[in-house]
Amino acid sequence: MSNDKAADASTLTPAQRHFIEELAVLLVPWGMPITAARLYGYLQLKEEPVSLDEIVAELEVSKSHVSTAARMLESYGNVRRLGERGTKRVLYVVGAHPGTPLIKQVTLLSQMSSLIARRKDAVASGKAADRLGRLADFHADLSRAMEGITTAERFQDPE
């Protein structure tokens, strides 16, 4: 008999299931696939690392969908993969910092601001140049704000 918790019935409460679904509905319009969004919500509720088998059992989705979703979330920094010593079993936990997926966006916003500000007068004039100037300022301000939040100590993992 397996000692894997996946063999047990789901430990999610109705309130937790509802939370996972509500969060997923909010994340899908941001481009996150539904299974990845559900996995993200699920992992936010877990205190310990969980295996793919546990996730499959609790979210009631196929292992291939969970595996694909986990790899995608891992690539963005939303989750971390852990190995289990002495086995090939893979465990997942939420990422150490909630801002990790946004760090790349901060860099892109800064680069966009620089490009637009540097080139606006060469590619536009009048109202269009003014509009580009506001756009460059917007991206610069957004980049600075996001950088401040993603580096704030209060969001660092306490572990």
Side-chain angles (χ1 to χ4, degrees), residues 87-112:
T87 72
K88 291 182 179 182
R89 195 165 105 151
V90 175
L91 304 173
Y92 289 94
V93 296
V94 292
H97 188 290
T100 299
L102 298 175
I103 293 170
K104 290 178 186 174
Q105 303 306 322
V106 169
T107 301
L108 288 173
L109 285 167
S110 180
Q111 291 171 340
M112 286 173 58

Side-chain angles (χ1 to χ4, degrees), residues 70-89:
R71 281 194 310 273
M72 188 206 82
L73 291 173
E74 183 181 16
S75 74
Y76 289 119
N78 295 105
V79 304
R80 290 183 297 141
R81 179 194 323 216
L82 306 172
E84 190 172 56
R85 192 175 185 100
T87 72
K88 291 182 179 182
R89 195 165 105 151

Side-chain angles (χ1 to χ4, degrees), residues 23-67:
L23 186 59
V25 165
L26 294 173
L27 291 171
V28 167
W30 284 67
M32 188 178 286
I34 190 69
T35 301
R38 287 178 178 138
L39 176 56
Y40 178 76
Y42 169 77
L43 289 174
Q44 294 297 328
L45 302 176
K46 303 311 282 182
E47 292 187 28
E48 300 294 327
V50 291
S51 70
L52 284 176
D53 290 332
E54 291 172 86
I55 297 165
V56 165
E58 292 205 312
L59 294 183
E60 300 172 351
V61 292
S62 75
K63 196 170 197 173
S64 64
H65 282 120
V66 170
S67 180

Side-chain angles (χ1 to χ4, degrees), residues 4 50 60 77 114 131-132 152 157:
D4 193 334
V50 291
E60 300 172 351
S114 294
R131 185 172 47 250
L132 286 173
D157 191 11

